[in-house]
Amino acid sequence: SQQGEEDPQALSIQEGENATMNCSYKTSINNLQWYRQNSGRGLVHLILIRSNEREKHSGRLRVTLDTSKKSSSLLITASRAADTASYFCAKIAGSARQLTFGSGTQLTVLP
Amino acid sequence: SQTIHQWPATLVQPVGSPLSLECTVEGTSNPNLYWYRQAAGRGLQLLFYSVGIGQISSEVPQNLSASRPQDRQFILSSKKLLLSDSGFYLCAWAPRPQGQLNTEAFFGQGTRLTVV
């Protein structure tokens, strides 16, 4: 089952604009992770935020986590055409070690 | 450094034929291993995960099976492929967590399987 659901499913913006993607989940988490996938390729880890953290930054990426709302957001600032990809949130489900992913957001950055 | 190898990159197989996809990890020991399937334009569906040799957990009932004959080798198999088995298959590994599960996963480049 998918433990994270992203929205929007697709997002198209102009280069230089900011892109915000959201992720909701249903059960408690130890951490939430964001990944990027270029078309037809494997996933690359972007950032991990622990359940006791509220915000984390990495370069142009900013991730927030609201455990009371069971939601997270990924903000990409000053987007570039090279940011075009699918973005997924993922979580580890308890002690069973399953790493489960949401359905992803397809981001298109137009030059 | 750790690396993950997944092959083949693409595969076209007839319905009813067997399948064997292999994934190996280098540079680490006792990893957690995962097989995912991704339909076109969709998210990742967890098929199997393994926390040790011979230990396989299946997430969804299906026509596929997995095995872990060695610590860093994970194999996805089928005796008879169905059309619905077509998709993009991804192998991943994550460090065996120590205490808190604050680890990222590392993915292979995937196998695009087309069953015809």
Side-chain angles (χ1 to χ4, degrees):
Chain A
S1 63
Q2 302 209 335
Q3 292 291 318
E5 295 299 331
E6 289 91 333
D7 80 273
Q9 289 187 335
L11 179 62
S12 184
I13 59 174
Q14 294 292 135
E15 209 165 24
E17 294 180 339
N18 296 341
T20 300
M21 290 158 271
N22 303 296
C23 170
S24 61
Y25 56 91
K26 297 177 181 177
T27 58
S28 62
I29 60 170
N30 293 308
N31 66 67
L32 189 136
Q33 307 177 31
W34 285 90
Y35 289 79
R36 167 195 169 123
Q37 182 184 33
N38 288 348
S39 179
R41 304 297 297 275
L43 278 73
V44 175
H45 181 264
L46 294 176
I47 197 165
L48 180 153
I49 186 165
R50 296 183 174 87
S51 58
N52 61 353
E53 298 176 314
R54 292 297 169 258
E55 187 170 313
K56 201 163 183 179
H57 297 255
S58 177
R60 294 185 294 112
L61 305 180
R62 172 178 169 251
V63 168
T64 61
L65 179 65
D66 187 334
T67 54
S68 66
K69 295 181 179 179
K70 291 186 168 57
S71 66
S72 173
S73 67
L74 170 66
L75 168 67
I76 304 175
T77 59
S79 63
R80 306 166 181 168
D83 294 328
T84 294
S86 292
Y87 293 82
F88 296 89
C89 67
K91 63 181 284 287
I92 290 179
S95 62
R97 311 295 196 261
Q98 302 111 311
L99 180 62
T100 56
F101 287 77
S103 52
T105 293
Q106 172 62 51
L107 173 66
T108 302
V109 181
L110 302 170
Chain B
S1 64
Q2 302 92 352
T3 55
I4 179 169
H5 302 280
Q6 185 182 343
W7 68 93
T10 59
L11 192 59
V12 180
Q13 292 284 101
V15 168
S17 64
L19 173 74
S20 181
L21 302 181
E22 189 163 344
C23 173
T24 60
V25 181
E26 296 177 357
T28 188
S29 58
N30 300 317
N32 288 341
L33 296 172
Y34 305 87
W35 276 112
Y36 293 88
R37 177 169 58 200
Q38 185 178 31
R42 305 291 298 277
L44 278 72
Q45 180 185 37
L46 179 61
L47 301 176
F48 301 96
Y49 69 97
S50 171
V51 299
I53 295 174
Q55 299 179 61
I56 310 295
S57 296
S58 174
E59 286 299 289
V60 293
Q62 58 205 316
N63 185 42
L64 302 168
S65 62
S67 62
R68 184 171 178 173
Q70 301 180 45
D71 181 47
R72 291 169 289 178
Q73 184 184 28
F74 206 23
I75 298 172
L76 183 69
S77 304
S78 173
K79 292 182 179 178
K80 289 186 178 181
L81 284 169
L82 306 172
L83 287 174
S84 57
D85 292 324
S86 294
F88 190 51
Y89 289 82
L90 288 157
C91 178
W93 76 272
R96 185 72 58 82
Q98 312 248 342
Q100 288 295 314
L101 301 177
N102 292 319
T103 57
E104 66 182 90
F106 301 88
F107 281 79
Q109 289 303 302
T111 296
R112 183 154 312 277
L113 171 66
T114 304
V115 182
V116 296

